[in-house]
Structure formats: structure tokens, C-alpha cells
Amino acid sequence: MKHVIDPLDLSVEEIDNLLNLADDIAANPKKYAKVCEGKKLATLFYEPSTRTRLSFEAAMLNMGGSVLGFSSADSSSASKGESVADTIRVVSGYADICAMRHPKEGAPMRAARYSRIPVINAGDGGHQHPTQTLTDLMTIRRKKHTLGGLTIGLCGDLKFGRTVHSLIKSLARYDGVRFILISPEELRVPDYILEEVIKAKNIPYQEVVDLEEVIGELDILYMTRVQKERFFNEEDYVRLKDSYILTEAKMKKAKPDMAVLHPLPRVNEIALEVDDDPRAAYFEQAQNGVYVRMALMMTLLGVEVC
Ligand code: CP
């Protein structure tokens, strides 16, 4: 039994296989309509979500399986003080696989220790979000036909943005990748990512504050929201929340084939006018989330097309 808690729980070869399977699912959805008949997914969401929870649920329903779960800590017995360890012990008897989102970093890892079913980390605090990374990798690969040799700009809240941390860890395994880290001083990538991933692998990188200064160099621009829920004080959030707003005027300075990704939800950081730019890939990215989660659950459950 395998859990997916960190993006590095999947090897490069496993990721290739998952992305190939996700591409086939996208092209031939009917082929997969019954592969999970009789299987149950539990979605244990202690923190709000639209895309991750609903795409996990859509993924299981698309494969003929069923879904049970809760969408907030308040509507579960966590509100009465039940531990994650006890919850997963119980849910292991109700479902075949589980996706867990939790505001505390490490909670899905703790759950995995006590679980009798595969646990997938659906986002833990400001830490990691491995299935968002699969979504991002699928989108990048479909746009660029490769995951290597790209200059990736990550822009916004690089400190608390768990999708950024997971994406850097994953892309760092591909040859020729270069990172341009665009953020205010206060929201720079955490040291453990900079030291243990980027510097440890001698990956070329730059840290800059100004997006317009570097936008012309990018193959991928990965925009992120300033993570209001992770701030200790409202004043800092208000000061930093509109640090970056991608507009069509800024897009004019970008390569004609640059792709704009965003894990969503968006607040102000991408102006609505950019949605009509053919380089805007974020809604396609959200759709890809269903295919990669179908591929991941099929793989973890060991089910195949007959
Ligand atoms: N990208 C993402 O994790 O979105 P949700 O918070 O809506 O799940």
C-alpha cells in the first residue's frame, strides 16, 4: 500500500506513467467509466476547498465509484476533539482510499501512519500539495511537450504557497530547469526549499521583486494568490495582497508561447482581461486536475482497464 504525502513519494518514472495515463483518460474518458465500480473515496477536508475536493470527487464518480466525507472540520467530530489518528482508523473501515486536506503541516503524514487505506495529501498547511503538482505538470507537459529545459517563473506568495513548494521539488528533478522566483521580500521561498532543493541540486535561479523585469524570459509563469489564511496579522496581508497583478499590458512583454498557470483560487493577481489571452492556461489546468486524480487513484488502488 502506497501513500502520497509529498511530491517525491512519486518517482520521475511513476510521474511519467501517471501523466501518460491522465492524457489517455482525457482523450478516452468512456474507457475508464467503470474501472472503480465498488470502490469508495473518502474526502476528509478540514480546510476549505473547491477544486481539490470536487475534482477528487468527480474523478471517483467518473470511474464508477462512490464518495463519502466531510468538507470542514466543523461538520466532523474533529470539532469535538477527535484526533486525525482516530479518524483515519475509523475511515479505513468505510472507504478504499482517502484524500485529506488539513491546515496543520504533517497531518496527512500522521494519518498515513495509522491508515489501512492509501492516504493522499490534498494540501497540508503551507507545506505541500502533491496532486496540485501533478495537475501543474500535466498542464506544462501538454503546453510545452517537455518538463525539462524550461525557465519557470513563480510569482506571488512563495513563502506560504504550498503548490509552489511542491512544484519546485518536482521540477527540480528534470534537466535544464531554471527558476525565477518573483516575490516581495517578506514572501520569499522558505530556506528549506532554497537550500535543500534548489541550491543542493545546483539549479540556476534568481530571486527578484519585479515581475516585468523578467517576464520576457519565461516559458511558464506560475502566478499565486497571497495566502490570507496563513498570515498572523491582517495589516501585513493588506499591505502585500496586491503586490502583483498580471495585466494584458504586462503580457505584451512575455514570449508569444509563454503559458500562464495558477492553482486557483484567484483573487486580484490576474486581471480578468488576461482570461481571453490564448496563453492563459489556468482553467484548462483545473480541468486537468480531474484526469490526474483519476490516474492517481487508479494506480494507488491497483485497478486497470479490462
Ligand atoms: N488549487 C487548489 O488547491 O484549490 P482549492 O483550494 O479550491 O482546492
Side-chain angles (χ1 to χ4, degrees):
M1 185 176 68
K2 186 176 172 82
H3 307 288
V4 176
I5 305 301
D6 185 279
L8 301 190
D9 289 338
L10 298 166
S11 67
V12 169
E13 189 186 354
E14 285 171 324
I15 286 180
D16 273 355
N17 291 339
L18 283 171
L19 298 186
N20 292 341
L21 179 56
D23 280 340
D24 194 59
I25 291 169
N28 307 290
K30 285 194 182 140
K31 204 167 114 184
Y32 298 88
K34 293 184 176 176
V35 288
C36 281
E37 266 183 353
K39 300 289 185 194
K40 285 183 286 232
L41 162 70
T43 50
L44 311 182
F45 277 59
Y46 294 83
E47 193 182 62
S49 166
T50 295
R51 270 146 299 277
T52 311
R53 186 171 66 84
L54 296 185
S55 64
F56 261 113
E57 295 188 358
M60 184 49 95
L61 296 173
N62 286 349
M63 298 190 289
S66 327
V67 175
L68 64 159
F70 52 82
S71 58
S72 72
D74 287 350
S75 62
S76 80
S77 284
S79 62
K80 303 173 204 160
E82 186 171 54
S83 68
V84 160
D86 282 359
T87 301
I88 196 66
R89 280 185 177 117
V90 172
V91 171
S92 291
Y94 298 167
D96 301 287
I97 190 164
C98 136
M100 176 181 285
R101 169 168 292 189
H102 203 288
K104 278 200 187 134
E105 302 182 356
M109 185 193 280
R110 182 159 176 76
R113 240 181 259 156
Y114 295 91
S115 182
R116 302 190 304 280
I117 58 174
V119 175
I120 303 170
N121 179 3
D124 61 328
H127 194 216
Q128 301 292 333
H129 194 345
T131 62
Q132 179 64 47
T133 297
L134 290 174
T135 305
D136 303 340
L137 296 179
M138 178 177 181
T139 309
I140 294 171
R141 204 176 76 153
R142 284 170 81 105
K143 292 287 168 199
K144 296 288 168 193
H145 311 290
T146 177
L147 292 172
L150 299 171
T151 297
I152 318 275
L154 299 121
C155 177
D157 184 349
L158 310 188
K159 178 179 180 182
F160 295 118
R162 58 194 172 201
T163 66
V164 167
H165 308 158
S166 288
L167 186 58
I168 291 174
K169 278 179 106 171
S170 278
L171 281 173
R173 299 192 290 186
Y174 295 88
D175 289 339
V177 163
R178 174 180 165 230
F179 293 116
I180 302 191
L181 308 171
I182 309 150
S183 74
E185 286 292 328
E186 295 97 320
L187 299 178
R188 285 167 57 183
V189 165
D191 278 348
Y192 81 94
I193 296 283
L194 206 56
E195 298 295 331
E196 295 168 25
V197 182
I198 299 178
K199 289 187 186 171
K201 289 175 177 267
N202 280 326
I203 295 171
Y205 78 98
Q206 264 175 273
E207 287 188 290
V208 300
V209 175
D210 185 0
L211 170 61
E212 282 184 82
E213 184 190 309
V214 292
I215 195 168
E217 299 176 44
L218 307 178
D219 299 307
I220 300 289
L221 172 57
Y222 193 89
M223 293 295 295
T224 63
R225 168 179 74 90
V226 175
Q227 306 272 304
K228 182 179 183 181
E229 63 276 29
R230 313 269 176 242
F231 277 75
F232 291 112
N233 98 48
E234 174 83 12
E235 216 173 90
D236 286 346
Y237 170 71
V238 170
R239 184 168 50 80
L240 293 168
K241 70 185 172 69
D242 291 328
S243 298
Y244 301 99
I245 301 178
L246 183 65
T247 58
E248 265 306 284
K250 289 178 190 149
M251 288 293 284
K252 284 195 171 71
K253 298 183 177 172
K255 290 181 184 173
D257 62 347
M258 183 189 78
V260 183
L261 275 68
H262 190 311
L264 305 179
R266 141 179 75 180
V267 186
N268 278 332
E269 57 280 356
I270 301 180
L272 297 182
E273 65 194 16
V274 178
D275 297 355
D276 296 326
D277 190 306
R279 294 169 288 183
Y282 30 92
F283 291 115
E284 182 183 332
Q285 183 185 357
Q287 179 63 44
N288 290 340
V290 177
Y291 308 132
V292 294
R293 290 177 175 107
M294 288 171 74
L296 180 62
M297 286 193 285
M298 277 184 69
T299 305
L300 295 179
L301 289 168
V303 298
E304 286 174 6
V305 179
C306 300

